[in-house]
Amino acid sequence: MLTGAGISAESGVPTFRDSDGLWEGHRPEDVATPEAFDADRGLVQRFYDERRAALARVEPNAAHRALADLEAELGDDLLLITQNIDDLHERAGSQRVHHMHGELRAAWCRACDVRIPWERSLADEPPCPGCGIAGLRPDVVWFGEMPYGMDEIHRALFSCDLFVSIGTSGVVYPAAAFVDYAIAGGSETLELNLERASNSDFHVSRQGPATELVPAWVAELTTAEATA
Ligand code: BV8
C-alpha cells in the first residue's frame, strides 16, 4: 500500500500540488533539494520548521484510522509505505509505517551521520547531540536523493497480491512507478484518490475523498475476509 499527501489533505495538511502550491513564493520542488539547501540553508530549514510546527495543529482523519484498523486485522500481511513526512499514520495507530521520503520529526547530522527524533526548530542551527557540531538537516529525502528502503519496497511490490495507492498524484518517481512493478508481479491494483492520478493504469480506480473511500474499502475488505 502507498499513501501520498491526499490522505492527509482532510486533516488540513496542504498537498504538494494544491492549486496555490507555493511556499513563500517558492515551489516545494524548488525548496526540497540539496542544491536549495546549499544555496540558502535558512530558507530550507524554515520550510521544514514551519511544517514540523504545524503537525501540532492537525489530527489524523478517518482514512488514517481505517488503515490502522486494517493493520490490526492483517498484521505483517500489510506493508504501509508513505510518501508523506507527517506523523498522522502513527498518531492514528499504525505501527509499521515505512516513510520512504523521511520524516519531519527527525533530523540527520551530516557531520556524524546519525539520524535522531527531532521536534524543535533547525533554523537556529542547534548542535548535534551526538557530535556537538551544528550540522543537522531535516531527515527528509529531497529531489535527486534516493528514497529509503527501496530494496524492501521492491520485494514487497513484486510479491504482493494487492497494491493500493491512496491520495497521490503519481507524478513523483520512483513511487509513481510502484503500480507498474506491482502489475509486473501479477498483483491486483486499486487507486483511491480524489481524481485519476497521472500514472493511473490501475485495475480499479475509485474517485472521492480519502475519508469516505478508505473506510468504505477497509470495511469491504474486512467483511469479505470475515465471510471467506
Ligand atoms: C530519485 C519529501 C534518484 C520532501 C518528496 C523526470 C522523470 C521521472 C523522474 C524524474 C524526472 N526528473 C526528476 C526526476 C526524479 C524526481 C521526480 O520524480 N521528479 C518529479 C517532479 C518529476 N524524483 C526524485 O528526485 C526522487 N529521487 O529519483 O533519486 C537517485 C538515483 C540514484 C542515486 C540517488 C538518487 C526523490 C523524490 C522524493 C522527493 N521528496 N517529499 C518534502 O516533503 O518536502 S516528494 C513529495 O511530492 C511528496 O513526498 C510526495 O512524494 C510527492 C508527490 O506528492 P503527492 O503525495 O502525490 O501529493 P500531490 O500534491 O502531488 O498529490 C496529492 C494527490 O492527492 C492528488 O492526486 C489529489 O488529487 C489527491 N487528493 C487531494 N485531496 C484528497 C486527495 N485524495 C483523496 N482525498 C483527498 N481529500
Side-chain angles (χ1 to χ4, degrees):
M1 174 175 294
L2 174 70
T3 65
I7 199 169
S8 296
E10 291 163 271
S11 292
V13 179
T15 68
F16 266 71
R17 282 158 193 81
D18 273 341
S19 52
D20 60 351
L22 286 180
W23 176 84
E24 287 195 2
H26 300 273
R27 289 184 331 134
E29 293 88 329
D30 298 334
V31 182
T33 69
E35 295 75 19
F37 192 58
D38 292 341
D40 188 343
R41 201 180 161 91
L43 174 88
V44 176
Q45 297 282 33
R46 278 201 316 280
F47 177 54
Y48 289 96
D49 281 358
E50 285 199 14
R51 292 167 69 191
R52 190 177 307 108
L55 289 180
R57 300 193 292 270
V58 296
E59 293 296 328
N61 62 49
H64 296 108
R65 289 193 294 274
L67 295 188
D69 295 344
L70 184 60
E71 183 193 70
E73 187 86 15
L74 298 183
D76 290 351
D77 285 344
L78 171 68
L79 177 62
L80 172 55
I81 303 159
T82 187
Q83 301 173 89
N84 300 339
I85 60 176
D86 64 51
D87 60 347
L88 294 178
H89 281 301
E90 290 87 348
R91 286 166 55 195
S94 290
Q95 307 282 321
R96 264 182 3 131
V97 184
H98 182 111
H99 284 275
M100 65 177 288
H101 290 161
E103 297 178 70
L104 272 171
R105 296 175 64 199
W108 177 17
C109 177
R110 304 303 287 123
C112 67
D113 202 25
V114 292
R115 286 174 163 82
I116 50 178
W118 196 266
E119 303 288 344
R120 297 178 290 108
S121 159
L122 287 172
D124 50 2
E125 298 298 345
C128 165
C131 69
I133 295 170
L136 294 172
R137 61 163 273 187
D139 186 14
V140 163
V141 176
W142 286 329
F143 288 96
E145 297 183 326
M146 180 57 84
Y148 293 147
M150 289 305 296
D151 291 345
E152 181 195 5
I153 290 173
H154 282 139
R155 278 195 299 277
L157 289 169
F158 281 111
S159 60
C160 67
D161 304 318
L162 174 63
F163 172 73
V164 186
S165 175
I166 301 173
T168 179
S169 58
V171 166
V172 173
Y173 288 80
F178 288 178
V179 59
D180 303 323
Y181 299 142
I183 289 172
S187 162
E188 285 301 306
T189 58
L190 166 67
E191 175 186 43
L192 304 176
N193 203 51
L194 200 58
E195 63 211 356
R196 277 187 180 283
S198 51
N199 65 328
S200 66
D201 41 11
F202 292 85
H203 294 104
V204 177
S205 184
R206 296 178 186 171
Q207 276 69 53
T211 54
E212 287 173 23
L213 292 183
V214 179
W217 170 68
V218 168
E220 216 178 271
L221 197 70
T222 44
T223 311
E225 293 261 318
T227 51

